Amino acid sequence: MAISLTVNGTTHTVDVDEATPLLWVLRDVLDLKGSKYGCGSGLCGACTVHINGVATRSCVTPVAGVGDSAVTTIEGISQNPIGQKVQEAWLEIDVAQCGYCQAGQIMSATALLEKTPKPTDADIDMHMSGNICRCATYNRIRTAIKAAAGEPVKKEA
Amino acid sequence: MNFDHTASRRSFLKASAATGGGLLLSFKLAPLGSADATTGEAALSAFIRVSPDGIVTIAAKNPEIGQGIKTSLPMIIAEELDVDWKDVRVETADVDAEKFGVQSAGGSTSIPRNWDNMRRVGAAGRQMLVATAAKALRVPESELTTASGKVIHAASGRSLTYGALADRAAKEKAPDLAKVTLKDPKTFKIVGVATKDVDGPSIVHGKPLYGIDVSVPGMLYATYEKCPVFGGTVKSCNLDDVKNVPGVKHAFVVQGTIPPGEVGLNVGLSGGVAIVADTWWQASVARRTLRIEWNLPDSATQSSQGFAARAAQLAKQTPEVSIRKDGDVDAAFKGAAKIIEASYSYPFLSHATMEPQNSTAHFKDGKLEIWTPTQNPANGSAIITRTLGLAAKDVTIHMVRAGGGFGRRSSPDAMLEASWIAKEVGVPVKLVWTREDDMRHDCYRPGGFHNFKAGLDAQGKLIALSDHFVSYGKNGQFASMAMMGSSTFPAEFVPNLSLGTSLMPLGTPTGPLRAPGSNALAFVFQSFLDEVAHASGRDPLDFHLDLLAERRIATAAPAAGGAPVFKPERMSAALKLVAEKAGWGKRSLPKGTALGLAYYFSHQGYVAHVAEVTVAANAPVAINKIWVVADVGGHIVNPSGAVNQVQGAVLDGVGQILGQEITIAKGGVVEGNFDTFPLLRMRQAPPVEVHFLKSEANPTGLGEPALPPTLPAIANAVFAASGQRIRDVPLNKVFRSGAAA
């Protein structure tokens, strides 16, 4: 069925079954490959997007439920000043190893900083523990979030 | 992305292992070339192109799986070429063994195998530019120097940019790689400088980079359902129901080519049912309607529980196969002042790369083209040509960045399945496994059971040690990566030592997981040695430094290209430094908090850890911090990537010990996703402090050697904190680990 969807400020009409997860519409219909498939069950966070600013697992979000909410993906997050800061911090700290989960990490980190501009370690633990990094770049993700929050960066070693 | 479009002069690189360490190189020289007419770029070799504006494009020859090799190998070339890193662009090389030599990611070998030859490739390019400049400036080459992409004649104050010289330089006779002049490492400006991942900007902006992101015009999407038990084949299924699902274009049974009784992801194509649809989601929806009756292999009765029971029986018997015998352990045990006995076990593990296995393939006019996140394209090509009956020249593989490897992508199964399906349907097909496919059809890190006995003399010195290792395999052959080598530490450092094994047949495929062998053996040996240290009444640090101080049995001369010889002085130095960094014996810690140490030599790297943990009643074991010292040679090519690799390897081990276990039941794997096979999460990840000890040796690889000491360092700290010895992992067999998803 034809479904209207607003992604990164652009409205699209897609012809898919209404139960199709948003993730697969983004990836295979709209060709936005930045949101990643990791678990298909909302367990790993690789597919995280924002829906009306709220970090959401797109792999378990039926496309028909999105309605006229604004979807933001990693491809559009630099339009958000906080998102841009997060991306810059990720580059500055050289966070990624394989990089596959990092789009989801950046989306979750941006949502965290929007609500909590100066997060503590406990805030970071709470808000980032839904995003798995199999390469375990967690030390650097923590540093990058703090850098994006404007805190001084401590040398690693 | 095809690197060779503009390369008109080809060099052929052949690297052959030389006895006595190091690599011998030979280039076969090819016809001279000139600049590409449209881009103006000139190729100095298969590795280096220079554009008129001085931008240098360097080919990254090996698969990038998150280990950072796409950044670090080009750094080495750029260093010797003498260009500024800001002027370098990196491209993934084509798969072409003649031009690029061995192209694989595995065994932490990319740096040790390529350190010397990448330097020479860069130096050869520099030499061609210098020779060209000498002619242009009419001065001897000896009067010329280079810096930042320029050839400089200091005497006359003249200089020429590489961009201006490249077209002519490409026509120069290619130098003999064995004779090129290398830089004095003291003058390095790129190697040894923290350098950001070349794909970083694409990663943070969500650009399509990975195998799963590949898109080919006209492409369909595939899923592939295989038997839960390896080697099972389809007896019957309801294909007609599947074909009725909207979007489904093809659904068919694949008989498979696994020879009966053979186990492994390299032995053939697994049978199953392929569903090909307009979108992957449609194929996945159709898959839910599948009803398959399987022909099950004999291994369908196997279970983890059954293996544990059998292992306990075997442990009471004499080992079936002797791995090593030094001195006389039985006599030494009889004469010992103290005997320590303990049994250890560890589980099967899945790789669980974040990007599930996938491949895109297109079969057209008898030729196959594949885009795949592989660690080993040559291995894939070999099995594909064999299984599909194609000539090697008709199979083209494109290496695509992988969302994690950890050894999983050395196996070619997804590549082979995609190729088979693509050949059936005749249009490009992208096969993507579900997470459950990925976790239940892996080549697992094999579990194992160790039964130790040690004897101390009256002075507390370790005089005898034996291990009966109950592992997997048949006919005296270990299953893949279920091995224990004869040089397993502390072999050679204990005068009476016996290592033996008994094997249980296994129908589940096994394979390399980050630091294969070592990732399990380090846990059991370093934990048991900690037990022995405590039994001796000595501080574990002193005990180990004494143990390492004296080689009791002469080491066997290494075979050419064989395992590297362990140098205990490098290990001791790493151990001393990590103890110092962690404040071993110097800090007063609260009750329930303690330090544990462990070290291991693997993949040519010497790595020592200290872990600090807190064990409190009714709380998960808290891992507070881990200190690491690694000696991987005299140069750290990219310190940023290196620290990241060490932290990642250590935290990989933390994840393993907290809660990871693959269970076999009815011949298949029970766990299917991250709820039951928990990966480490942010709240569980301690800070990892990394130090490198630079020895004089050539640099070695770093993807693996930092993992093995992690589990025993934590387990030994848990003992020191609580008195509870961890002999079976994961930790949640004894403690709350906080590992639930």
Side-chain angles (χ1 to χ4, degrees):
Chain A
M1 64 179 282
I3 292 171
S4 175
L5 199 62
T6 303
V7 181
N8 301 330
T10 305
T11 302
H12 306 264
T13 302
V14 296
D15 182 19
V16 295
D17 184 85
E18 60 187 18
T20 307
L22 174 61
L23 173 67
W24 295 106
V25 177
L26 293 171
R27 288 185 55 84
D28 290 348
V29 182
L30 300 180
D31 199 29
L32 295 168
K33 299 283 201 286
S35 307
K36 292 294 189 269
Y37 169 68
C39 68
S41 303
L43 296 167
C44 78
C47 66
T48 305
V49 300
H50 292 183
I51 297 183
N52 288 342
V54 178
T56 305
R57 308 293 185 236
S58 66
C59 75
V60 288
T61 303
V63 65
V66 176
D68 53 9
S69 300
V71 178
T72 306
T73 69
I74 187 69
E75 289 90 345
I77 199 63
S78 52
Q79 291 164 25
N80 172 332
I82 293 174
Q84 194 184 347
K85 263 191 193 154
V86 171
Q87 287 173 313
E88 284 166 4
W90 244 249
L91 287 174
E92 186 51 37
I93 305 299
D94 197 25
V95 171
Q97 287 186 35
C98 88
Y100 191 79
C101 73
Q102 300 295 352
Q105 304 280 359
I106 288 169
M107 297 307 285
S108 288
T110 302
L112 164 63
L113 290 175
E114 288 203 308
K115 269 201 283 187
T116 313
K118 297 281 177 196
T120 62
D121 280 336
D123 293 330
I124 292 172
D125 284 350
M126 173 88 78
H127 284 85
M128 298 303 293
S129 283
N131 287 77
I132 292 172
C133 176
R134 170 68 178 90
C135 303
T137 59
Y138 296 117
N139 282 204
R140 286 192 178 180
I141 290 174
R142 190 184 297 280
T143 306
I145 290 173
K146 292 189 171 178
E151 288 187 35
V153 172
K154 273 184 246 157
K155 208 167 171 285
E156 272 176 333
Chain B
M1 288 257 288
N2 189 333
F3 194 79
D4 202 37
H5 284 327
T6 57
S8 41
R9 190 190 60 79
R10 295 171 186 213
S11 314
F12 295 93
L13 172 68
K14 289 206 172 106
S16 57
T19 50
L23 293 166
L24 282 183
L25 289 150
S26 64
F27 265 80
K28 226 189 240 175
L29 301 182
L32 305 180
S34 59
D36 181 84
T38 50
T39 65
E41 283 185 324
L44 299 181
S45 69
F47 290 89
I48 304 168
R49 298 198 313 263
V50 183
S51 73
D53 62 359
I55 295 297
V56 177
T57 302
I58 297 181
K61 68 186 278 282
N62 280 7
E64 174 61 57
I65 59 173
Q67 84 283 44
I69 209 70
K70 187 175 174 182
T71 305
S72 52
L73 290 184
M75 284 172 70
I76 303 170
I77 294 176
E79 178 69 67
E80 293 285 351
L81 185 60
D82 220 3
V83 294
D84 290 341
W85 185 247
K86 69 175 171 52
D87 295 327
V88 173
R89 307 290 177 266
V90 175
E91 285 184 2
T92 300
D94 283 341
V95 176
D96 188 333
E98 289 198 322
K99 282 194 275 186
F100 299 107
V102 175
Q103 295 176 279
S104 69
S108 294
T109 53
S110 288
I111 290 292
R113 272 187 187 159
N114 292 293
W115 165 251
D116 188 59
N117 66 25
M118 291 298 99
R119 289 185 73 188
R120 290 175 187 280
V121 162
R126 178 184 169 276
Q127 191 168 317
M128 291 162 77
L129 292 156
V130 168
T132 307
K135 286 176 198 157
L137 299 173
R138 296 173 195 273
V139 296
E141 288 182 29
S142 59
E143 291 181 12
L144 296 172
T145 57
T146 56
S148 298
K150 280 183 195 156
V151 183
I152 300 155
H153 187 243
S156 65
R158 291 177 296 168
S159 68
L160 288 166
T161 66
Y162 285 6
L165 291 164
D167 182 23
R168 283 167 286 165
K171 301 185 184 84
E172 280 290 322
K173 186 172 181 295
D176 178 349
L177 278 192
K179 292 182 183 158
V180 294
T181 307
L182 298 176
K183 276 186 175 179
D184 177 349
K186 289 191 193 78
T187 67
F188 282 170
K189 293 175 190 147
I190 296 173
V191 167
V193 176
T195 301
K196 296 178 171 69
D197 189 299
V198 293
D199 282 339
S202 296
I203 289 168
V204 305
H205 288 101
K207 296 275 193 295
L209 270 183
Y210 301 90
I212 203 169
D213 302 336
V214 167
S215 206
V216 178
M219 181 176 85
L220 297 176
Y221 296 80
T223 62
Y224 191 54
E225 171 110 359
K226 287 172 285 192
C227 184
V229 186
F230 181 81
T233 54
V234 177
K235 191 184 220 173
S236 66
C237 83
N238 59 338
L239 284 182
D240 289 340
D241 297 341
V242 174
K243 286 176 182 167
N244 284 333
V245 176
V248 172
K249 288 283 193 287
H250 308 268
F252 51 91
V253 169
V254 177
Q255 273 312 317
T257 65
I258 305 286
E262 286 195 35
V263 182
L265 302 185
N266 277 310
V267 302
L269 174 69
S270 287
V273 178
I275 302 171
V276 181
D278 287 328
T279 70
W280 187 79
W281 184 251
Q282 289 171 322
S284 300
V285 169
R287 186 173 167 183
R288 290 186 209 144
T289 66
L290 254 184
R291 299 290 173 266
I292 305 173
E293 197 184 345
W294 300 99
N295 298 305
L296 293 173
D298 295 343
S299 60
T301 57
Q302 293 182 345
S303 69
S304 292
Q305 221 178 358
F307 287 130
R310 176 72 183 137
Q313 285 174 344
L314 288 168
K316 293 176 193 149
Q317 302 169 14
T318 309
E320 289 165 1
V321 182
S322 172
I323 295 171
R324 182 183 185 113
K325 266 189 168 55
D326 294 315
D328 185 340
V329 281
D330 293 330
F333 286 145
K334 279 192 190 115
K338 198 168 194 179
I339 294 288
I340 304 104
E341 286 184 275
S343 294
Y344 282 76
S345 77
Y346 44 82
F348 288 83
L349 293 176
S350 177
H351 294 83
T353 58
M354 282 309 285
E355 179 191 18
Q357 305 311 300
N358 67 83
S359 286
T360 302
H362 187 197
F363 185 82
K364 196 183 171 197
D365 303 329
K367 292 186 194 316
L368 184 69
E369 194 167 7
I370 304 161
W371 296 261
T372 185
T374 178
Q375 287 182 241
N376 193 342
N379 183 31
S381 180
I383 192 169
I384 288 166
T385 50
R386 193 167 76 232
T387 308
L388 271 65
L390 298 171
K393 68 175 175 54
D394 292 330
V395 176
T396 303
I397 297 178
H398 303 282
M399 297 186 288
V400 188
R401 188 180 182 95
F406 312 106
R408 176 62 182 86
R409 298 185 210 272
S410 298
S411 293
D413 40 346
M415 220 191 297
L416 177 60
E417 290 164 12
S419 300
W420 185 278
I421 295 167
K423 190 171 178 229
E424 285 279 320
V425 304
V427 297
V429 171
K430 176 155 74 179
L431 169 71
V432 178
W433 290 16
T434 63
R435 172 56 55 196
E436 288 78 8
D437 291 334
D438 198 88
M439 200 167 280
R440 294 188 174 130
H441 298 276
D442 200 347
C443 49
Y444 302 89
R445 193 289 296 273
F449 305 84
H450 290 258
N451 303 281
F452 288 110
K453 187 172 179 182
L456 296 172
D457 68 12
Q459 286 72 47
K461 206 169 170 68
L462 176 59
I463 54 167
L465 185 143
S466 71
D467 178 23
H468 181 181
F469 173 35
V470 180
S471 187
Y472 298 95
K474 61 179 182 186
N475 305 328
Q477 298 289 312
F478 287 111
S480 176
M481 302 302 151
M483 72 292 192
M484 176 163 76
S486 63
S487 62
T488 302
F489 187 82
E492 299 176 359
F493 292 80
V494 182
N496 303 287
L497 181 134
S498 145
L499 304 176
T501 190
S502 299
L503 302 177
M504 302 182 285
L506 175 68
T508 305
T510 53
L513 170 72
R514 194 177 210 163
S518 306
N519 59 32
L521 297 172
F523 163 63
V524 296
F525 278 91
Q526 288 286 309
S527 294
F528 184 62
L529 286 173
D530 192 69
E531 291 202 51
V532 172
H534 283 280
S536 77
R538 305 194 60 201
D539 179 272
L541 177 63
D542 296 337
F543 174 87
H544 282 293
L545 290 174
D546 273 2
L547 182 64
L548 287 162
E550 192 186 355
R551 192 173 229 128
R552 307 295 295 264
I553 307 287
T555 198
V565 174
F566 172 63
K567 294 185 173 145
E569 62 278 10
R570 289 177 69 181
M571 197 80 257
S572 296
L575 189 53
K576 281 180 195 162
L577 184 59
V578 79
E580 181 194 320
K581 295 289 180 188
W584 182 271
K586 302 273 192 265
R587 291 191 293 138
S588 124
L589 298 166
K591 192 174 174 343
T593 296
L595 305 181
L597 66 79
Y599 55 90
Y600 215 67
F601 170 63
S602 76
H603 299 80
Q604 305 185 57
Y606 296 77
V607 187
H609 290 23
V610 171
E612 182 192 301
V613 309
T614 299
V615 183
N618 300 316
V621 170
I623 299 163
N624 304 327
K625 184 167 178 177
I626 298 176
W627 292 260
V628 181
V629 171
D631 171 1
V632 287
H635 298 278
I636 301 298
V637 176
N638 180 2
S640 178
V643 169
N644 215 351
Q645 284 305 303
V646 172
Q647 291 182 332
V650 170
L651 294 181
D652 197 350
V654 173
Q656 288 178 7
I657 199 170
L658 285 184
Q660 291 176 12
E661 176 169 21
I662 286 292
T663 313
I664 296 169
K666 294 180 183 170
V669 165
V670 174
E671 292 77 13
N673 212 320
F674 301 133
D675 50 349
T676 47
F677 189 79
L679 298 186
L680 192 77
R681 290 176 185 273
M682 174 64 88
R683 62 180 146 75
Q684 303 166 312
V688 180
E689 183 180 313
V690 181
H691 300 274
F692 294 106
L693 192 57
K694 291 184 190 165
S695 63
E696 288 307 304
N698 274 340
T700 56
L702 200 48
E704 294 166 280
L707 188 152
T710 307
L711 285 87
I714 294 167
N716 295 342
V718 168
F719 175 76
S722 68
Q724 175 71 52
R725 180 59 66 182
I726 303 298
R727 296 197 183 92
D728 306 286
V729 284
L731 265 179
N732 59 8
K733 290 185 187 293
V734 179
F735 289 97
R736 277 179 63 195
S737 70

